[in-house]
Amino acid sequence: LESPGMDDQKSRTFSYLVSAYHSSFLYNESKELALKAIHKVEKFNKDQPALIMIYNNLALTYGELFQVDSSLFYANKSEKLARKLGKKEFFWRPDYARYSAYESINKTDLSYVYLKKTYSHLKNGEDRMNRGFILFLLLKFSKIKKLDHEFDGYLKEYVQFSKEGQKPMDVIHQNLF
């Protein structure tokens, strides 16, 4: 990655590394690498699809670091690029980053708005893993907040979601509780 030049493969590798640091709870390392990656990748191609995930992972990282303004800034960059490139499979991610940022500072009303927006992108899509994950979070949130009517609706959707799982990987995601 330190070698001169940038290409699609290096851009994607930066994206994977930023995600790996974030997933490992190494938020400062994730932030540093993401900022470095953004600088290098944007010099190569400001419309590089890998930037969608780098921006989004940086948004998530800033949320974990309680830096909501920075989180929202990079979520917006991620969303704008995903829309510009027509990458619908990424449309849900910036709203999830916004949910996560607001949740980190206990702004639950705003976080719930973005969690529902996240689900609206996934509800009828092919991404069953993330659909199940977000649906689970909606169930948990609506139960904790005693939003009985919404909980009942999400529970019905979850039961239907579980019944739809016919692929080998779906077995893993049916037992999210």
Side-chain angles (χ1 to χ4, degrees), residues 19 42 44 56 60 69 73 75 85 93 104-105 107 111 115 144 146 152 161-162 172-173:
S19 180
E42 282 181 343
F44 165 64
N56 202 74
L60 288 167
D69 289 343
F73 175 80
L85 299 178
R93 291 179 182 274
S104 76
I105 59 169
K107 292 211 174 206
S111 68
L115 188 59
I144 290 169
K146 299 183 187 325
D152 291 343
F161 172 79
S162 293
I172 296 168
H173 304 111

Side-chain angles (χ1 to χ4, degrees), residues 5-175:
M6 180 60 59
D7 57 24
D8 290 341
Q9 184 177 2
K10 285 183 183 176
S11 298
R12 284 191 308 275
T13 301
F14 270 123
S15 176
Y16 300 144
L17 288 172
V18 169
S19 180
Y21 277 130
H22 177 84
S23 298
S24 299
F25 309 105
L26 299 170
Y27 301 127
N28 288 319
E29 292 85 347
S30 179
K31 179 179 88 170
E32 289 173 26
L33 182 60
L35 291 169
K36 180 180 179 180
I38 288 167
H39 175 73
K40 285 183 168 250
V41 176
E42 282 181 343
K43 279 176 52 178
F44 165 64
N45 179 359
K46 288 187 184 286
D47 293 336
Q48 172 63 28
L51 281 168
I52 298 167
M53 287 301 296
I54 296 171
Y55 292 148
N56 202 74
N57 278 309
L58 185 54
L60 288 167
T61 297
Y62 275 124
E64 294 293 344
L65 296 171
F66 309 105
Q67 296 176 13
V68 174
D69 289 343
S70 295
S71 178
L72 297 175
F73 175 80
Y74 284 101
N76 289 341
K77 285 185 73 99
S78 177
E79 180 177 35
K80 285 178 186 173
L81 186 55
R83 291 192 182 284
K84 180 179 182 180
L85 299 178
K87 299 286 189 178
K88 291 181 181 182
E89 66 272 22
F90 295 109
F91 285 5
W92 69 275
R93 291 179 182 274
D95 283 329
Y96 179 75
R98 292 176 186 109
Y99 150 77
S100 183
Y102 285 122
E103 188 68 13
S104 76
I105 59 169
N106 297 315
K107 292 211 174 206
T108 55
D109 289 342
L110 275 172
S111 68
Y112 190 51
V113 166
Y114 284 106
L115 188 59
K116 290 193 292 187
K117 283 185 176 188
T118 301
Y119 187 61
S120 73
H121 293 292
L122 293 167
K123 185 175 182 173
N124 297 313
E126 299 294 318
D127 187 346
R128 287 187 52 77
M129 182 179 78
N130 287 307
R131 179 180 161 207
F133 171 65
I134 299 302
L135 187 53
F136 169 74
L137 290 177
L138 285 166
L139 276 166
K140 183 175 150 184
F141 192 100
S142 58
K143 184 67 172 174
I144 290 169
K145 291 293 185 179
K146 299 183 187 325
L147 303 169
D148 295 335
H149 180 70
E150 290 184 39
F151 177 82
D152 291 343
Y154 292 129
L155 184 59
K156 286 178 187 174
E157 285 188 53
Y158 187 81
V159 169
Q160 182 60 38
F161 172 79
S162 293
K163 289 178 181 178
E164 292 169 3
Q166 300 299 320
K167 299 174 184 154
M169 282 300 293
D170 287 337
V171 173
I172 296 168
H173 304 111
Q174 287 179 351
N175 296 312

